[in-house]
């Protein structure tokens, strides 16, 4: 048991959730390594939602509520860390939820779907087809889901897949703690924040944003500036560390 | 198979070795997350041995060859990534090799010992006793090994254990990609470099360093400066990324 007053409580709980999810087959071992990479960048971010990340989260919400067919793409790490938060965001934004895995097996697809459903998430079902411009099973998605979406939220996504969705003309919102990653650079909106901090802020913004404010956030959006601000926050942490 | 000309070949091979070692019980899932954290910091370091890391590696060698009873403490990640390199360093430095685990079970102790022996490493054997100033099984080590050592090389070590060894008056050399970690700050010599890049440089230095040069390296050693230079290298990567 991790004591609740531990200064890094949230981070340690997340680490434990990932380890448990590896044991239950929801997360692959590579997912545990990827989680570790995220932890390192979150540490540099100060394990907090920066002002610039909060702006990215409101902007993400603006794109989602203005979308005609928003879809949330969920992988193993996202399901393990934030099943409940994904459900809340789907309800607040009207987005469909599709399970989409990099290391795809039928067994994992089912385990993740069951896990999400146990947390009250309605998961889109159907026969996946090779519809994305990627090799092999990476191309698989649902025709009525990601393929038909105009706005896709892909938390913790691989760079190739993020780029493929952008190349299809979709608006891609990602949540990625590494502001230098290919995903972060390719996406339309990059939220540089930890998943379970980011999702509730996006959800609340979906509920609160008026049409005018949402339109303004979309008009004023500048992803390069958001990324530069995230990098600046990390540089500050490094600078203070050697003071 | 990862193509050898992939720009991040070494990093991807290491990631695969860790995943395989989780499957074979040498590395715990927490070890895979820890490896990911290291990857993130190595990315910021430019995945290269910086000039300052090379200096840290020569200094580490100087401490090892001047030691009366040097010991290399090996955990699961170190064994999985660098069994052969540990053997070479043990031979070049005259250090003993002791297996010492944070998540300690008899089964893992044996699996790691067998893995090291298969790579030609002579592993110190014996009955572990609670000799370190730490709670529970964290205190376990060998009386003739770490307990009796004057210089201990602990790659990829936990902060509490590194501090405990320092508090016992030992010279502690660590290899840690996070220059801000408690381990990095507590150690006598911190090599901020990736394990399989660092170990061969330390080994070669053990073979090449003369007595005068080794004495000078020890005399001139300034760990705070090494850490500051590692942080500066990471800041440079972040700065160039947003140019």
């Amino acid at each position: 048991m991790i004591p609740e007053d531990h200064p890094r409580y949230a981070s340690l709980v997340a680490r434990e959730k990932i380890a448990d999810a590896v044991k239950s087959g929801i997360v692959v071992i590579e997912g545990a390594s990827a989680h570790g990479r995220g932890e390192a960048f979150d540490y540099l971010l100060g394990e907090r939602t920066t002002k610039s990340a909060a702006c990215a989260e409101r902007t993400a919400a603006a794109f989602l509520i203005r979308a005609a067919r928003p879809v949330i793409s969920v992988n193993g790490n996202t399901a393990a860390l934030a099943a409940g938060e994904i459900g809340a965001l789907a309800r607040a934004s009207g987005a469909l939820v599709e399970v989409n895995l990099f290391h795809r097996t039928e067994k994992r697809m089912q385990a993740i779907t069951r896990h999400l459903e146990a947390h009250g998430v309605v998961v889109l079902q159907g026969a996946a087809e090779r519809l994305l411009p990627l090799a092999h099973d990476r191309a698989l998605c649902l025709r009525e889901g990601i393929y038909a979406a105009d706005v896709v939220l892909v938390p913790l996504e691989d760079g190739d897949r993020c780029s493929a969705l952008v190349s299809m003309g979709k608006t891609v919102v990602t949540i990625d703690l590494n502001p230098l990653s290919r995903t972060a650079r390719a996406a339309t909106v990059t939220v540089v924040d930890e998943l379970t901090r980011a999702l509730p802020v996006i959800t609340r913004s979906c509920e609160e944003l008026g049409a005018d404010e949402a339109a303004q956030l979309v008009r004023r959006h500048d992803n390069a500036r958001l990324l530069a601000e995230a990098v600046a926050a990390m540089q500050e942490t490094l600078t203070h560390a050697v003071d």
Side-chain angles (χ1 to χ4, degrees), chain A residues 23-108:
Chain A
K23 286 167 199 154
S24 68
I26 284 177
V27 168
V28 289
I29 297 165
E30 289 79 358
S33 286
H35 181 73
R37 290 194 292 282
E39 276 187 36
F41 286 105
D42 197 21
Y43 177 80
L44 291 179
L45 205 59
E47 293 178 341
R48 71 202 158 95
T49 299
T50 63
K51 208 174 139 186
S52 138
C55 173
E57 285 152 14
R58 282 194 302 278
T59 304
F63 275 101
L64 285 170
I65 59 179
R66 286 165 58 89
R69 298 182 70 105
V71 170
I72 305 173
S73 173
V74 174
N75 65 12
N77 282 33
T78 301
L81 293 170
E85 289 87 341
I86 289 291
L89 177 55
R91 290 187 290 276
S93 64
L96 300 172
V97 174
E98 177 172 340
V99 177
N100 208 284
L101 304 182
F102 191 86
H103 298 274
R104 185 186 186 107
T105 63
E106 239 351 275
K107 206 172 150 192
R108 274 190 79 215

Side-chain angles (χ1 to χ4, degrees), chain A residues 132-211:
Chain A
L132 305 182
L134 289 167
H136 314 297
D137 283 0
R138 306 272 147 84
L140 289 169
C141 74
L142 295 175
R143 188 173 289 276
E144 300 302 307
I146 288 172
Y147 183 71
D150 53 347
V151 176
V152 189
L153 171 65
V154 282
L156 318 179
E157 185 54 281
D158 161 68
D160 284 340
R161 300 227 291 203
C162 180
S163 299
L165 294 171
V166 169
S167 78
M168 292 168 82
K170 299 183 192 305
T171 294
V172 177
V173 180
T174 193
I175 302 173
D176 190 326
L177 280 158
N178 177 0
L180 311 181
S181 74
R182 287 188 305 134
T183 300
R185 287 153 174 266
T188 317
V189 182
T190 305
V191 174
V192 182
D193 199 3
E194 192 275 329
L195 187 69
T196 64
R197 291 198 305 265
L199 288 171
V201 180
I202 302 176
T203 300
R204 202 160 51 241
S205 299
C206 284
E207 291 159 354
E208 291 173 359
L209 277 179

Side-chain angles (χ1 to χ4, degrees), chain A residues 225-243:
Chain A
R225 185 177 52 76
L226 291 177
L227 291 176
E229 285 168 358
V231 167
M234 293 182 183
Q235 285 184 306
E236 217 179 289
T237 303
L238 286 169
T239 302
H240 287 311
V242 288
D243 273 354

